[in-house]
Amino acid sequence: QAAIEPDPGRAMDAALAGLRDPQWGTELGRLLLTRAIDETQYAAGRRWGEEAALYRSSLDVRPCRTASLEVGMGGHQPDPDSEDGQQQARREARQRERFFEAHAALIAAGMLAESAVRRLCEDNLSLIGMVERIAVRRGLSILAAFWNLTNQRVNGTNVR
């Protein structure tokens, strides 16, 4: 089992102050710290957040409320007709396809699970009530199975 901080509130405060790993300052991290989700579900949530961010990036869409809007503003996209532009287009098409496949698996868990996972992992929003908590666990478990998340590492420790 992962070396989980014994006091979730202190771990979150330290993460938000920049003294601990920022993952513990997220709602997903808080759910792991309070043992509302297990390590495999946590790994699936982190992967979903990363996949969703890559998907949005492949569409050149970023949430307006974050500092990520300024990432890469100094550069330019390669010419779509150049070799670099064509490679980037292929890479982004593969990323979108991976996201669509994972999204289909998540939808199979139910629309409440899909909505709860996306709000938690993409928007860092809290879950509302036990029904959403159950739904997010179901959605994250489906994603973990879809991605075959075994032997993952969380905080330096193997995840079952």
Side-chain angles (χ1 to χ4, degrees):
Q1 184 167 349
I4 298 174
E5 190 72 30
D7 182 356
R10 290 181 61 182
M12 287 185 71
D13 289 345
L16 293 171
L19 303 173
R20 297 293 298 255
D21 191 326
Q23 69 182 338
W24 304 127
T26 65
E27 280 300 308
L28 184 66
R30 184 185 66 79
L31 291 177
L32 178 63
L33 288 171
T34 60
R35 293 173 171 66
I37 60 173
D38 64 29
E39 292 91 350
T40 303
Q41 292 165 331
Y42 175 78
R46 295 248 334 210
R47 172 121 180 228
W48 177 265
E50 292 165 3
E51 293 286 336
L54 288 170
Y55 170 70
R56 283 191 308 270
S57 177
S58 78
L59 299 174
D60 202 25
V61 174
R62 294 177 188 84
C64 290
R65 63 178 173 25
T66 68
S68 67
L69 185 61
E70 297 184 19
V71 173
M73 290 197 64
H76 298 284
Q77 296 291 333
D79 181 347
D81 294 326
S82 70
E83 179 62 31
D84 287 343
Q86 291 174 3
Q87 284 179 348
Q88 180 176 342
R90 286 190 296 272
R91 187 173 47 250
E92 290 173 347
R94 284 190 304 269
Q95 177 54 46
R96 287 190 297 272
E97 190 59 36
R98 282 194 307 268
F99 178 81
F100 294 147
E101 291 169 356
H103 189 238
L106 181 56
I107 288 175
M111 292 308 293
L112 180 59
E114 188 262 356
S115 172
V117 167
R118 294 194 79 169
R119 287 184 330 106
L120 174 68
C121 300
E122 294 176 42
D123 300 328
N124 196 31
L125 296 175
S126 298
L127 301 175
I128 302 169
M130 190 53 105
V131 172
E132 277 197 353
R133 188 174 282 200
I134 292 167
V136 92
R137 283 194 294 241
R138 183 175 57 248
L140 293 175
S141 293
I142 292 283
L143 288 171
F146 174 77
W147 285 316
N148 194 24
L149 293 179
T150 56
N151 298 322
Q152 296 294 311
R153 296 181 67 79
V154 174
N155 202 22
T157 305
N158 279 337
V159 174
R160 295 180 250 108

